[in-house]
Amino acid sequence: MNQFKRFFVFVLVAACTCVQSVAQVNYEKREDIPAKYKWNFSDIYANWEAWEADFKAISKDMEKIQSFKGKLGENSENLAEMLKIQEDLMKKAYKVYQFVSFQSTVDMRNMELQAKLQQVQILFSQFGVATAWISPEMIQIPESTMKEWVASNPALKDHKFDLLDMYRLQKHVLTEEMEQLMSFYSQVSGTAGKVFTALSTADIEFQEVELSDGKKVKVTPGVYSQIVTNNLNQEDRKKAYEALYDVYYKNKNAYAAIYQGVIESEWSNARARKYESCLDAKLEGNNIPKDVYLNLVNTVRENTAPVQKYVKLRKKVLGLEKYYGFDGSISLTDFNKNYPYDEAVDVVTESVLPLGKDYQEKLKVATSSGWLDVYENPGKRSGAFSAGVYGVHPYMLLNYNGTLDYVFTLAHELGHTMHTTLSNENQPFATHGYTIFVAEVASTFNERLLLDHMMKNTDNPKERIALLTQSIEGIIGTFFAQTMFADYEYQVHTMVEQGQPVNADILTKVWGDIANKYYGDVTEKTKYSNYPWTRIPHFYNSPYYVYQYATCFASSAKLYKDVTEGTKKEKKEALKRYTTLLQSGGNDFPMEQLKKAGVDLSKPETILAVINQLDQLVDQLAVELEKLEK
């Protein structure tokens, strides 16, 4: 893969590996936050002068790369030298981009930082066009010649996987002129997604409602989340739900047109590169069989009984005559314990001991060395993510608010951080970046470790119920819901590919048919029930992305079982395989990496294992709730 394309994939992963949460304001000024809870940017550059030097050096490296145009096929030395310069450039690119991006992340009101970030993005966009010649020229080197070069030139050793895999995708590489043309149009292909973002953020006008206590609130997504999570009055939750969804409902035709534009752009690109479908175009890069996607979608669609059983249990416990989708976030008990951050770090650190003391010690370094930005401050973006800087260390964003949900978010993001750390420590730059397809394995694995650890260390019935609910909601949100989204994407993309019409009514019907398979008649239908498709960002900004949350969850469930169950020898061998996975970066196709670790996603039983796990957790929750009643 062209290193610039790899970099843009990396930026996408950094942006998407996140958890959106409603955080409480803890500090009025960022300066008031103790240094140990803030990012240490000096690990990347000591000052802006050092940043500026690398920024300028990237342009010089680019000129050197251009000097190899027309010469890559002459000998292995030319190819190796060009790749060496390109690798040095990309190492700088990670640092140059993230030094600005991270500082902007915690101070989004700083227009000077925004200008610098735009400056970097423009530079990289220019490079994408300028390097369009590399892939077409490299593919002209005969495969037999490339194998000889890789075998005889040690400087090409680290690049072996990418260089030889290039020929598998040969039919999708275009001429230099066509590649350049595609680069030009790549800037336009994201326009529909940008329109969605503008319509859903900058131009959207949220409605105000009056709640039962007389308080008037404007129902933004954040306020809506707070109301449906904390307000015990069902009528208030209904008002908030109707106010929020009515905004999207009124713009349904605009959202349908935008989504049609997104898919048509995807389909145009897929056909230009000679793929049979948009899904093939998304999967073939990482050599993912289509059967894996379809196995996931079909298996889950036919096994939604545990989800419906959980909803019925909630309806009974909450004492509701009618149960709606907006009743799904209310706690089943009045448990609202606060978990101070330092205590949460201790709990998470203790929970990962089954992965070995070395892993635990590395995690301690991560939480005590300026890798984490912990608390919310004015101007800081919401949510949580972990993003690496090769040659430095990962940087992890939080907006910690003391809730149980955020304790799990801490464990989740530390899973990403440790995955990145182990990959970077054990892989050369050429293969350090792991794919999205395995990205959520380590994070969800750590969440399961945390659940078991906390369940073993509490006798508080309300906390046990909260923990089980947390885990159940995690499976439904990460596995079932994302598979439902994947099902929807596949059906709608297929319609566009077959030349069928797509409009708001059709999209709503597709959503409704799938929702009925998942929830049946256990939830009440409303005017807005089948319109969530209007407001799911992944559909518009990263099509065919969400299924990987589900496949990762299934993979981590299988790996967790292997590491924690069986004989001492079996667990030790399973842990070794899992650790190898975390250390392997992108040195092989992700399906092969998972198979080596003990997971085969092409088998329905791998998917069914998660479904059975949910079923057992719902039964366990029912037992705990019964104990509480007694």
Side-chain angles (χ1 to χ4, degrees), residues 423-443:
S423 289
N424 289 359
E425 288 178 350
N426 291 277
Q427 295 296 319
F429 181 81
T431 56
H432 80 281
Y434 50 86
T435 64
I436 297 169
F437 195 79
V438 298
E440 297 295 336
V441 172
S443 56

Side-chain angles (χ1 to χ4, degrees), residues 349-392:
T349 303
E350 291 168 6
S351 75
V352 301
L353 185 57
L355 296 180
K357 291 187 176 180
D358 183 60
Y359 184 100
Q360 190 179 57
E361 288 303 314
K362 289 181 186 295
L363 188 141
K364 289 179 181 177
V365 171
T367 56
S368 61
S369 306
W371 297 16
L372 277 66
D373 205 88
V374 178
Y375 295 111
E376 185 181 46
N377 62 255
K380 182 178 178 179
R381 64 154 280 184
S382 63
F385 68 73
S386 177
V389 182
Y390 190 85
V392 185

Side-chain angles (χ1 to χ4, degrees), residues 3-61:
Q3 288 288 350
F4 294 112
K5 292 180 182 177
R6 186 187 299 279
F7 180 78
F8 292 125
V9 170
F10 144 75
V11 173
L12 175 64
V13 173
C16 292
T17 305
C18 62
V19 178
Q20 292 299 320
S21 301
V22 181
Q24 304 300 314
V25 176
N26 294 282
Y27 292 91
E28 292 185 4
K29 297 180 182 178
R30 183 167 175 81
E31 299 79 54
D32 297 336
I33 303 175
K36 67 177 181 177
Y37 300 124
K38 293 189 289 189
W39 277 334
N40 181 3
F41 301 115
S42 63
D43 287 348
I44 307 177
Y45 291 112
N47 49 51
W48 281 104
E49 286 73 22
W51 176 87
E52 186 71 29
D54 264 2
F55 184 83
K56 292 179 179 178
I58 289 175
S59 294
K60 293 180 180 178
D61 286 342

